[in-house]
Amino acid sequence: MDPLLGWARKNQSAIVKTIREFVECESPTDSPVDVKWFMDLLVEAVSDIATCRLTSECALICKFKLPGRRKKGQLLALGHGDTVWPLGTLETMPFRRAQGRLWGPGVLDMKAGLAFFIFAMRALIELDIPVPHEVVLLVNPDEETGSKTSRPGTEALARKSKAVLVLEPGTGLEGKAKTSRKGIGAWTLKVLGIASHAGVDFASGSSAVVELARQIEIVSGFTDLARGITVNPGVIAGGTRSNVIAAEASAEIDFRVPRLADAKSLDRKFRSLKPFEKRCSLELTGGLNRPPMERTKGVGALFTMAHRLAADLGVELEESSTGGGSDGNFTAALGVPTLDGIGAVGEGAHAAHESILIDRIPDRVALLAKLASSGIPESAISYTT
Ligand SMILES: [Zn+2]
């Protein structure tokens, strides 16, 4: 058997124990104190094998002390310590082991992935497997709310790296790697109309609600399913009373694009919106938050390597693309080869049935160790911009 896979199987109960500790330390993005506690727990978990630094934004950077004398360049592993689950979720959704799975808030997204990576590093050290580059783990505190404070730090570390491994869960119960992600953005479209009495003075008013309804019809038409472009006016608000012509109305609109070029053309379309009713005016704020992670040749080369390494473990690693974003969107957009979705295998991220498959723990830990200790193929790096 592959020595790394053997090591991971032998250490499975220790890995499960660590996952449990991570899940039982709740860390919703909007509670920085709790996120910090979780970061402290991570520091404790790696204190004997890495040097760690917590940035002023509460991002954790761990540099591992790995075997091998000559180290060229750096490999970045990327994760997040926050979850979408509010404090107290454990009371109704406790950590548990049942039906061959581990269950609990944040277990899949992505506390197991963090535990996997730490144990992958332990395996390399205990088996004395030389690693040809430095390995740095970055754990962000705010990924689930868009990584607003952590983005510059992520980009700075990615620029110094040959490649990025993102510890987000894989796709589906097969745990497919993610080689492309859509770009994500949001617009707020606000309409200013003219208020008046709906009975006494109807004609002097100009309804923001009616104008917004017509605009929504237009922006919904920007969706192009064949090309993977979606525009979703998901929230609307407007007006005060039914007997008042509405002075204000607004819509929050999510959009997803597979290519940066699509984001640019969508941007032009939104900015050229004109009011139907001349006495109404439009205000548009927002734009692209996460650029798309496109499947560049560098990403492809990294996946090919992962596919081969997984095959050595007896696993057929497939690839997938998704409409959801991650911090991998930022690193890939810089041109740094990025492989995403190689954390835990399971289902139900952000949902009550969030869980991971126990029997996929060893092969994922072994795969991460293999990826981290393999030379990044020149064919991947040469495409780095
Ligand atoms: Zn995540």
Side-chain angles (χ1 to χ4, degrees), residues 213-272:
R214 301 174 83 178
Q215 295 294 337
I216 283 174
E217 189 64 22
I218 298 294
V219 301
S220 300
F222 297 162
T223 289
D224 185 343
L225 285 180
R227 293 175 61 201
I229 300 165
T230 59
V231 177
N232 178 47
V235 179
I236 57 167
T240 51
R241 293 173 186 283
S242 63
N243 60 359
V244 178
I245 307 278
E248 268 187 43
S250 66
E252 289 170 38
I253 304 156
D254 172 289
F255 68 88
R256 313 263 162 159
V257 286
R259 288 163 295 270
L260 199 58
D262 300 323
K264 286 180 181 155
S265 76
L266 203 54
D267 195 273
R268 277 195 297 276
K269 285 182 179 173
F270 268 94
R271 290 186 191 284
S272 60

